[in-house]
Every structure is written in structure tokens, then in C-alpha cells.
């Protein structure tokens, strides 16, 4: 008999290792099997060769169908397992397990560097407290061109950190991607310094933080996933210039814009001297190629003395100490309104008269910018109604 020599098709899949996020139990392998079609007990009056040919065709169809089903299930299982694996950074950190850094935030938001609509009162230019985290590549506090979380939205719009703190804590509990949270005091002016310390590990070598620009609709500065590990060692010192970002949750153009929610929410975007391309934008400087940095952050690795206690880096700037503005001046050109309509023609009858039109200053020049032109203009005319 032909079917006497056919065996069941059996495939056993073991996908492991077992993990809390994979949803796969390595102790219970997945087994797929296809058994051959058996000749019926009662085949009627058909000759045996005819029956064999008939059920041989059915057997081939069943084999193809079952094989395809097994391959598809295998692919889905493998892809499902792969999607449950944690995301890894391209480079593996093999440096010593623990490193401590001093992080120094320097505000450079001065009226000299950013003269347009510079906030002088209610409230004056200032910086919120810094909120940061050390983490692995499985976590992201914020990312350019992606949507801000509810926590980042609340922090960027109102300086409220509660929701963002909860998001960080939940990420640390679920996927163990967060090592520690750090914060630094606010700065009460646009220029100044604040500092704190942070701790990184070989499994959590990335640093992210946000600082809100005050006042602003939803603008902030920060760093997204800066890696302090270089292969087998920690970086000794790193400085990064910071530029403003829009959280994409409020549509205001100026520092003092009222709340106007962006619906639907937009992604996080960098604010430049030409984007948003609108003259009302507080950072709109069309004659510049790039904005000067509005802030800077410096991270210095702390050394250990013989007692194992960290000692501060030499020449470390003092905390919350007002700094000198050493950045280049940003020229601000004068901006004036359109001309008004011509006034009445004044003068004696049957003699030439004059009429005047005026305009007013929208934005005063600063830092050797283009001065304002004449604000009134006079031309000759012939009086129409005279006595």
C-alpha cells in the first residue's frame, strides 16, 4: 500500500528564552503536525488502484496546505518574538560600571543676542528648573520630529513636572530602562548658571533633559539621548550648544502669546531664525543664517580621590552665578509700518500747497542694525477747498 510508507509531518518550534515581556514560555514548545489522509473503511465498488489515485491527489493537496500553514505560523511566531526583544544601542558600553558627572547649564538668552521682543517684565526672561534622566536606548524622554508625551507637554507649557516624572518612573519599572533622575534649580534671568550631579552606568549611559524657556507658549531646550560612553571608557568632558525647540502643543508665535492649543498636535520641531517663517515669531531673524545658541550644557566627569569620594573638577563654575555675556551681538533692523493715506492739502488759494503722510516704528533697531527711515513724507499739492 502506498500510504503505509507515509509518515506524519511534525515540526516542533521552541522559541526562547522565556521573558516577562515576550509572552513566550520556553518550557512549552509549539508543535505543529499534519497527518496523512487515510483510505475510508468503505470505499464502495471502485477498484483499489482508482481509490489510491484519488486519495493520493487529496493527500498531496493536504500536504501543501498544511505545509503553508506551518510556514506562516512559524514566521509569525519568530517575528512576534523578535518584536519583544529590547532595542539596543549600536555601540556596547564596556566602561567601568559607574561614573558620576557634574552637569552645568548656562543660559545665554540675553537682550544682546536675542533683541526681538525680549521679555523684560511680567515675567522677565528666565529658565525653569532642569529635569533630566539617565537611561538606556529603550527609553526616550523626547525626540525631534516625534510627538511630545503628555508629560513633556505639561513641562514645556507650564513647567509642571509631575506627569513627566510619572512617565519616567513607569518606564523604569516596566522595561528597566531608566537608572536615575536628576534636577537643577531654576535661573531667574535669561543669563546665568545652574548645576547638579548625575550618575550613569554601562547599561544606562545616555542622558536626556529638558529646560523650559520662560515665558513662552511651549518652547524648551534640552538634550535627547547623549551617550557619555565611548566604547571602553567614559568621556571626560563634553559641551553642547542648545537651541530652542517647539513642543508642538501650542500655536503661539511670541514669548508672551496666550494659550492656543495646537489641534491636532504637531511634532517637536527646532525653532530657527527662519522657521516658523512668520515676522511675528520672536526668533525670526531672516538676515541670520543660524541662531546663536540660547544656552549651553557642559558635563564633566568627576574624579575620585584615594578615599573614594568624588572631587569637583577644577575651574568648575559656581552654581546659579550670573555670567558675562560673551556671545556675539545679533543685529536687529528697524521695522516700520506701511504709509498712512495722504493728509489734506494745506496752503493758500491759488498757490501751491503741501500734504503729509506718516508711518510708525514697529520694531526699534538694536546692536548696529539698520536704523529707522523717515517716519513722515511731504509732497506738493493744489488746495481744493480754500477761502
Amino acid at each position: 500500500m502506498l500510504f503505509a510508507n507515509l509518515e506524519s509531518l511534525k515540526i516542533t518550534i521552541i522559541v526562547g528564552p522565556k521573558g516577562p515581556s515576550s509572552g513566550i514560555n520556553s518550557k512549552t514548545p509549539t508543535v505543529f503536525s499534519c497527518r496523512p489522509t487515510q483510505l475510508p473503511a468503505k470505499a464502495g465498488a471502485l477498484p483499489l488502484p482508482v481509490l489510491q489515485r484519488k486519495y493520493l491527489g487529496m493527500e498531496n493537496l493536504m500536504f501543501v496546505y498544511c505545509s503553508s500553514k506551518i510556514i506562516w505560523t512559524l514566521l509569525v511566531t519568530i517575528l512576534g518574538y523578535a518584536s519583544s526583544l529590547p532595542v539596543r544601542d549600536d555601540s556596547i558600553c564596556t566602561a567601568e560600571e559607574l561614573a558620576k558627572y557634574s552637569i552645568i547649564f548656562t543660559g545665554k538668552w540675553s537682550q544682546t543676542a536675542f533683541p526681538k521682543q525680549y521679555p523684560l517684565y511680567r515675567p522677565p526672561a528666565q529658565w525653569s528648573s532642569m529635569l533630566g534622566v539617565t537611561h538606556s536606548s529603550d527609553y526616550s524622554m523626547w525626540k525631534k520630529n516625534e510627538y511630545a508625551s503628555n508629560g513633556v507637554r505639561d513641562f514645556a507649557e507650564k513647567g509642571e513636572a509631575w506627569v513627566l516624572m510619572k512617565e519616567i518612573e513607569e518606564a523604569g519599572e516596566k522595561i528597566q530602562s531608566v537608572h536615575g533622575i536628576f534636577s537643577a534649580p531654576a535661573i531667574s534671568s535669561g543669563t546665568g548658571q545652574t548645576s547638579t550631579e548625575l550618575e550613569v552606568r554601562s547599561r544606562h549611559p545616555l542622558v536626556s533633559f529638558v529646560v523650559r524657556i520662560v515665558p513662552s507658549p511651549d518652547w524648551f531646550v534640552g538634550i535627547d539621548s547623549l551617550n557619555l560612553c565611548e566604547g571602553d571608557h567614559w568621556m571626560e568632558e563634553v559641551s553642547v550648544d542648545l537651541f530652542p525647540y517647539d513642543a508642538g502643543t501650542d500655536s503661539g508665535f511670541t514669548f508672551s502669546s496666550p494659550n492656543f492649543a495646537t489641534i491636532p498636535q504637531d511634532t517637536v520641531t527646532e525653532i530657527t531664525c527662519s522657521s516658523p517663517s512668520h515676522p511675528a515669531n520672536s526668533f525670526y531673524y531672516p538676515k541670520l543664517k543660524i541662531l546663536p545658541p540660547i544656552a549651553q550644557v557642559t558635563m564633566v566627569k568627576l574624579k575620585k580621590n584615594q578615599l573614594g569620594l568624588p572631587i569637583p573638577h577644577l575651574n568648575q563654575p559656581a552654581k546659579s552665578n550670573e555670567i558675562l555675556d560673551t556671545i556675539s551681538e545679533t543685529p536687529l533692523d528697524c521695522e516700520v509700518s506701511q504709509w498712512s493715506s495722504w493728509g489734506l492739502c494745506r496752503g493758500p488759494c491759488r498757490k501751491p500747497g503741501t500734504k503729509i503722510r506718516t508711518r510708525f516704528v514697529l520694531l526699534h533697531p538694536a546692536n548696529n542694525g539698520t536704523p529707522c527711515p523717515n517716519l513722515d513724507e511731504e509732497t506738493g499739492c493744489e488746495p481744493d477747498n480754500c477761502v
Side-chain angles (χ1 to χ4, degrees):
M1 292 291 292
L2 176 63
F3 295 106
N5 297 322
L6 292 177
E7 297 180 355
S8 297
L9 176 62
K10 184 176 181 180
I11 297 179
T12 302
I13 303 174
I14 301 177
V15 183
K18 181 181 178 181
S21 61
S22 65
I24 296 171
N25 189 342
S26 62
K27 295 182 180 179
T28 306
T30 305
V31 180
F32 304 94
S33 63
C34 288
R35 298 187 180 278
T37 305
Q38 301 294 327
L39 285 173
K42 296 182 181 180
L46 293 175
L48 183 57
V50 176
L51 287 174
Q52 288 178 335
R53 288 195 299 272
K54 178 180 178 180
Y55 287 99
L56 177 60
M58 293 177 62
E59 175 66 19
N60 291 336
L61 288 175
M62 283 295 297
F63 182 82
V64 172
Y65 166 76
C66 196
S67 300
S68 300
K69 184 177 179 181
I70 289 174
I71 293 173
W72 173 252
T73 306
L74 177 62
L75 289 174
V76 170
T77 303
I78 293 174
L79 291 175
Y81 170 67
S83 65
S84 70
L85 292 174
V87 179
R88 295 297 181 185
D89 193 16
D90 292 337
S91 58
I92 298 176
C93 180
T94 59
E96 58 181 341
E97 177 65 16
L98 176 67
K100 291 187 177 182
Y101 283 82
S102 171
I103 178 169
I104 306 150
F105 178 89
T106 303
K108 294 187 175 183
W109 184 19
S110 68
Q111 191 172 9
T112 302
F114 300 91
K116 186 175 182 180
Q117 302 170 2
Y118 188 80
L120 297 174
Y121 57 90
R122 297 184 181 178
Q126 57 190 277
W127 299 96
S128 77
S129 58
M130 174 194 292
L131 181 60
V133 61
T134 57
H135 58 95
S136 69
S137 57
D138 300 329
Y139 172 78
S140 176
M141 174 182 274
W142 66 275
K143 196 170 289 293
K144 183 179 177 181
N145 297 328
E146 294 188 6
Y147 293 103
S149 67
N150 292 335
V152 172
R153 177 200 63 198
D154 288 354
F155 191 88
E157 289 187 9
K158 299 173 285 187
E160 297 177 357
W162 172 252
V163 177
L164 183 54
M165 290 280 289
K166 292 293 291 182
E167 291 175 352
I168 295 172
E169 291 174 2
E170 290 174 359
E173 293 173 359
K174 288 182 179 179
I175 55 178
Q176 300 180 349
S177 58
V178 173
H179 172 63
I181 300 174
F182 60 89
S183 63
I187 303 175
S188 59
S189 62
T191 58
Q193 290 183 333
T194 185
S195 64
T196 187
E197 292 182 3
L198 60 89
E199 187 178 89
V200 288
R201 292 183 177 272
S202 57
R203 291 191 302 168
H204 304 89
L206 308 182
V207 175
S208 297
F209 72 83
V210 287
V211 180
R212 180 177 182 246
I213 299 173
V214 183
S216 73
D218 60 341
W219 301 342
F220 69 95
V221 297
I223 279 182
D224 168 36
S225 303
L226 175 65
N227 194 344
L228 295 179
C229 182
E230 291 185 324
D232 60 351
H233 66 279
W234 296 103
M235 299 175 68
E236 291 296 326
E237 182 173 340
V238 57
S239 293
V240 180
D241 289 333
L242 303 178
F243 299 90
Y245 281 89
D246 187 325
T249 60
D250 192 292
S251 297
F253 271 122
T254 66
F255 294 118
S256 57
S257 292
N259 290 333
F260 186 68
T262 302
I263 302 176
Q265 180 179 337
D266 203 354
T267 58
V268 175
T269 55
E270 184 177 352
I271 301 173
T272 69
C273 56
S274 58
S275 178
S277 182
H278 195 289
N281 181 20
S282 295
F283 287 108
Y284 185 71
Y285 297 94
K287 289 189 176 182
L288 295 181
K289 292 184 178 180
I290 59 171
L291 285 175
I294 195 171
Q296 185 183 65
V297 64
T298 301
M299 281 168 273
V300 181
K301 186 175 180 292
L302 298 178
K303 303 181 185 301
K304 293 181 180 180
N305 59 17
Q306 294 179 350
L307 298 177
L309 299 176
I311 58 174
H313 189 268
L314 296 179
N315 302 322
Q316 181 177 332
K319 181 182 296 186
S320 300
N321 181 37
E322 190 74 14
I323 63 169
L324 296 175
D325 186 10
T326 58
I327 63 176
S328 59
E329 296 182 346
T330 300
L332 185 65
D333 298 337
C334 177
E335 295 181 10
V336 296
S337 67
Q338 298 293 324
W339 287 109
S340 67
S341 301
W342 287 104
L344 296 175
C345 184
R346 300 180 180 275
C349 294
R350 294 180 295 278
K351 290 185 178 180
T354 59
K355 58 183 178 180
I356 296 175
R357 64 177 182 176
T358 61
R359 56 187 174 184
F360 57 91
V361 176
L362 294 174
L363 188 65
H364 289 278
N367 305 330
N368 298 318
T370 303
C372 293
N374 292 331
L375 300 180
D376 54 74
E377 188 176 55
E378 183 178 295
T379 188
C381 63
E382 295 182 4
D384 294 329
N385 300 318
C386 60
V387 178

